[in-house]
Amino acid sequence: MTLNQKIRNLRPADIVFIIAAVICLAPFISSPIALILGFTLASFGLVPTQFNLAALTKKLLSYSIIGLGFGINLNEAIEASRQGLGLIISSIFFTLFLGWIATHFLKLDKKTGHLIAAGTAICGGSAIAAVSPAINARDDQTSLALATVFVLNAVALFLFPAVGHLLEMSQHAFGTWAAIAIHDTSSVVGAAGSYGDEALKTATTLKLARALWIIPVAFGSALMFKGDSKKIGIPYFIVFYCLAILIAHFVPQFHSTYILIFDASKRLLVVCLFLIGSGITVNKLRNAGHKPLLLGVVLWLAIGTASLTYIELFL
């Protein structure tokens, strides 16, 4: 079916969905509201089925993150990465090790447990998508891990800014905490963006530095489970994000244009969260089961509490 045919076959419910997505571009729609709006429409069956929304979300998320690069100062990015490198590495290995122990203790399927641990340690759904084919995970194992991460991402979008304001965290401190303790890049930038622009810049920089660990962790996972390292997906959008930072730094005469791109990218991220919300249904939450969700919560609380304690004491 061609795009024109898909458009002609739109139902009234599909038009409602498209209008809601467009409204999410408005500045008065925050990331949490967009997520709830998407989830609400999905719950009432108002999500178009003729479009591949998962693929669209992935592309839009990549484009918006690249756009954010135009608003990042190169020197600040280097300094933030340098300061946060130790925390990133230690949090990844801590989470993977704790995930291995907790999976054994809960008697959970090893591959499902490893996928949840990898998603928690690095960058949620992206890490799960990269590690899954490398360890030859079944569809049901991957789906359980993704459902678990999606639930916790939704909670993080509301919980983290509230805790940050309660503890009166600085923009830099909150951005660092969000980058380390929240799973998906979309929820990291959503939570940090609602906290402030400085938090958003810090969180985006550190989160993408953390996301680079998808590659070595996926290779290590393939060796551990005797899988196929040739099936590992590489997140190329990170390269273009870095390129955007370099362009903004070395070609400063277009600064006003870069700011427009940065602001537009922030609004596009809100639309991405709306689309992500539309993919979370009651059935997915129910199918996640209590053991995978329990593992996800344990790992999330551990890394969230440990990183928050470190940040409060040393940053």
Side-chain angles (χ1 to χ4, degrees), residues 95-96 113-124 127-128 131 217 221 299:
T95 305
L96 291 174
H114 183 72
L115 288 174
I116 293 172
T120 306
I122 308 173
C123 56
I128 292 171
V131 173
V217 167
S221 300
L299 295 180

Side-chain angles (χ1 to χ4, degrees), residues 25 51 85 254:
L25 290 170
F51 300 104
L85 183 61
F254 299 108

Side-chain angles (χ1 to χ4, degrees), residues 32 41 49 141 160 172 211 215 217 274 288 305:
L41 293 182
T49 56
Q141 294 168 326
F160 272 64
H172 176 71
I215 301 169
V217 167
F274 165 77
T305 303

Side-chain angles (χ1 to χ4, degrees), residues 123-256:
C123 56
S126 298
I128 292 171
V131 173
S132 180
I135 65 174
N136 294 323
R138 300 190 309 270
D139 287 344
D140 63 304
Q141 294 168 326
T142 304
S143 296
L144 281 174
L146 287 172
T148 300
V149 166
F150 283 158
V151 170
L152 298 181
N153 270 320
V155 174
L157 207 53
F158 296 90
L159 181 63
F160 272 64
V163 173
H165 287 300
L166 181 66
L167 297 178
E168 299 182 346
M169 297 178 71
S170 68
Q171 293 279 314
H172 176 71
F174 182 82
T176 302
W177 185 41
I180 297 298
I182 300 179
H183 307 74
D184 269 343
T185 304
S186 58
S187 291
V188 170
V189 296
S194 67
Y195 204 80
D197 278 354
E198 185 183 340
L200 174 62
K201 293 175 182 179
T202 300
T204 304
T205 301
L206 290 180
K207 180 61 179 178
L208 295 183
R210 181 180 164 201
L212 288 172
W213 283 82
I214 286 178
I215 301 169
V217 167
F219 273 112
S221 300
L223 293 174
M224 184 187 306
F225 287 90
K226 298 180 181 179
D228 189 355
S229 61
K230 294 180 181 179
K231 294 182 180 179
I232 295 171
I234 300 174
Y236 289 106
F237 70 89
I238 298 177
V239 176
F240 291 105
Y241 167 80
C242 295
L243 182 60
I245 296 177
L246 293 175
I247 291 173
H249 180 77
F250 289 108
V251 192
Q253 55 265 41
F254 299 108
H255 177 72
S256 58

Side-chain angles (χ1 to χ4, degrees), residues 19-199:
I19 291 174
V22 173
I23 291 175
C24 287
L25 290 170
F28 56 82
I29 300 295
S30 65
S31 298
I33 291 176
L35 189 78
I36 291 176
L37 182 58
F39 175 73
T40 302
L41 293 182
S43 299
F44 286 100
L46 301 178
V47 178
T49 56
Q50 63 267 49
F51 300 104
N52 188 343
L53 292 182
L56 176 61
T57 304
K58 185 176 181 180
K59 286 184 179 180
L60 289 180
L61 181 59
S62 298
Y63 296 151
S64 57
I65 290 173
I66 293 169
L68 289 179
F70 287 99
I72 306 295
N73 181 278
L74 177 61
N75 294 325
E76 291 177 358
I78 293 173
E79 181 61 21
S81 299
R82 186 188 64 81
Q83 290 182 352
L85 183 61
L87 185 57
I88 290 171
I89 295 174
S90 58
S91 66
I92 288 173
F93 283 98
F94 168 74
T95 305
L96 291 174
F97 179 67
L98 181 60
W100 177 73
I101 294 176
T103 297
H104 178 75
F105 180 78
L106 291 172
K107 297 181 180 179
L108 182 63
D109 173 77
K110 290 182 179 179
K111 289 187 177 181
T112 302
H114 183 72
L115 288 174
I116 293 172
T120 306
I122 308 173
C123 56
S126 298
I128 292 171
V131 173
S132 180
I135 65 174
N136 294 323
R138 300 190 309 270
D139 287 344
D140 63 304
Q141 294 168 326
T142 304
S143 296
L144 281 174
L146 287 172
T148 300
V149 166
F150 283 158
V151 170
L152 298 181
N153 270 320
V155 174
L157 207 53
F158 296 90
L159 181 63
F160 272 64
V163 173
H165 287 300
L166 181 66
L167 297 178
E168 299 182 346
M169 297 178 71
S170 68
Q171 293 279 314
H172 176 71
F174 182 82
T176 302
W177 185 41
I180 297 298
I182 300 179
H183 307 74
D184 269 343
T185 304
S186 58
S187 291
V188 170
V189 296
S194 67
Y195 204 80
D197 278 354
E198 185 183 340

